[in-house]
């Protein structure tokens, strides 16, 4: 019989928003590829091969900085994504990586 490779998970949580982006979905990118959209007050489990992965959240032309996570076989990395700053900081929409905040839990 063939050997099976254990998967790993990246869990992404997006808390409910007061109003900024509440009706909009964010793209979650893993290793430079857009893999799934996440709405407000959602949590998603993304199966990935064990190892090191670069994760980023994006909306339109902007998003979060890339975070590098390492996930062991059968393990899980937990991330949270939300709007950065406040809705009064409109200038963030004009930056490539300052509009969204992504944190490792």
């Amino acid at each position: 019989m063939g050997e099976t490779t254990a998967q790993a998970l990246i869990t992404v949580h997006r808390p409910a928003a007061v109003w900024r982006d509440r009706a909009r979905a964010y793209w979650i990118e893993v290793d430079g590829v857009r893999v799934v959209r996440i709405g407000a007050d959602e949590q998603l489990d993304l199966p990935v091969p064990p190892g090191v992965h670069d994760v980023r959240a994006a909306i339109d032309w902007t998003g979060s900085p890339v975070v590098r996570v390492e996930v062991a076989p059968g393990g899980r990395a937990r991330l949270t994504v939300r709007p950065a700053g406040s809705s009064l900081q409109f200038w963030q929409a004009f930056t490539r990586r300052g509009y969204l905040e992504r944190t490792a839990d």
Side-chain angles (χ1 to χ4, degrees):
M1 274 174 63
E3 190 176 311
T4 57
T5 305
Q7 285 288 308
L9 289 175
I10 297 175
T11 298
V12 181
H13 176 244
R14 180 177 168 199
V18 176
W19 76 267
R20 183 171 142 189
D21 296 336
R22 186 165 79 193
R24 301 180 72 200
Y26 300 160
W27 277 103
I28 301 301
E29 299 175 354
V30 178
D31 298 327
V33 177
R34 288 187 172 186
V35 293
V36 69
R37 291 169 61 104
I38 187 169
D41 201 24
E42 280 192 281
Q43 180 170 302
L44 302 172
D45 288 330
L46 308 174
V48 295
V52 177
H53 299 280
D54 291 333
V55 183
R56 178 176 182 266
I59 185 170
D60 299 329
W61 62 88
T62 187
S64 72
V66 172
V67 64
R68 183 160 282 174
V69 296
E70 184 169 359
V71 193
R76 177 186 310 257
R78 297 179 191 277
L79 306 173
T80 300
V81 62
R82 64 175 53 91
S86 76
S87 58
L88 300 176
Q89 294 172 308
F90 66 89
W91 56 267
Q92 291 172 318
F94 300 102
T95 66
R96 170 83 172 123
R97 298 178 193 260
Y99 186 72
L100 300 176
E101 173 183 72
R102 198 263 347 115
T103 58
D105 296 341

